[in-house]
Amino acid sequence: MSDESWMRRALQLAEKAEAAGEVPVGAVIVRNGELLAEGWNQPISSSDPSAHAEIVALRAAGQKLGNYRLLDTDLYVTLEPCLMCVGAMLHARVKRVVYAADDPKTGALGGAYDLLNNMRHNHRFEVRRGVLAEPSRAMLQAFFRQRR
């Protein structure tokens, strides 16, 4: 499947988050073209500030593999990851991150911060930005417009 196809699945998961009253963000983790794990934002419903879509998916992938190292995986997420999520991706040794919408307020892959290019890290991953950015951005904007 293409990056766009995997991102469409992440957008479907973002809709699940939105239906539950959560910020609409979804994530999938793929290895060798196979779906490994998925997640959507759940911090409110789980009373867990770390339950971002990416963290939920990383935890599920680790459980499935029986290893916290997620070598050779691609993570697709509908919003640029925050500092916490990028940190977890670095520790998990994710190979590639593909995201939809930029997050200039809290994004940590160049939006608000550039955590990946800190030379102190001993791991780097490839980043592809802007895949299906417009549908993701529109979903997020509609969600926050409704909340205000």
Side-chain angles (χ1 to χ4, degrees):
M1 285 177 45
S2 68
D3 286 348
E4 289 76 13
S5 296
W6 289 118
M7 191 61 74
R8 276 192 268 291
R9 177 61 187 148
L11 284 165
Q12 291 172 342
L13 296 167
E15 290 171 357
K16 286 181 84 163
E18 183 176 33
E22 304 275 2
V23 175
V25 178
V28 297
I29 299 178
V30 175
R31 187 169 71 174
N32 299 323
E34 300 282 328
L35 178 65
L36 189 59
E38 55 189 30
W40 56 92
N41 266 7
Q42 301 172 41
I44 297 167
S45 60
S46 67
S47 300
D48 179 357
S50 70
H52 290 193
E54 303 94 308
I55 300 296
V56 172
L58 288 165
R59 286 178 179 151
Q63 289 296 310
K64 185 170 185 174
L65 295 176
N67 194 337
Y68 77 99
R69 293 278 171 98
L70 305 178
L71 304 174
D72 299 318
T73 58
D74 297 330
L75 189 149
Y76 296 84
V77 62
T78 59
L79 181 64
E80 180 182 355
C82 71
L83 289 165
M84 173 183 68
C85 293
V86 172
M89 292 169 196
L90 287 166
H91 286 288
R93 305 295 195 263
V94 169
K95 180 180 176 183
R96 187 168 79 112
V97 173
V98 179
Y99 73 83
D102 291 324
D103 185 352
K105 291 184 179 180
T106 63
L109 292 176
Y113 309 96
D114 192 0
L115 188 58
L116 189 61
N117 289 314
N118 182 320
M119 299 314 287
R120 293 182 180 110
H121 298 299
N122 63 352
H123 176 70
R124 303 269 184 287
F125 50 76
E126 179 186 335
V127 177
R128 182 170 179 210
R129 297 164 169 82
V131 174
L132 299 180
E134 190 47 45
S136 177
R137 188 174 15 261
M139 186 184 305
L140 287 157
Q141 287 173 341
F143 175 82
F144 287 113
R145 202 171 18 253
Q146 186 178 23
R147 293 281 215 190
R148 291 184 183 123

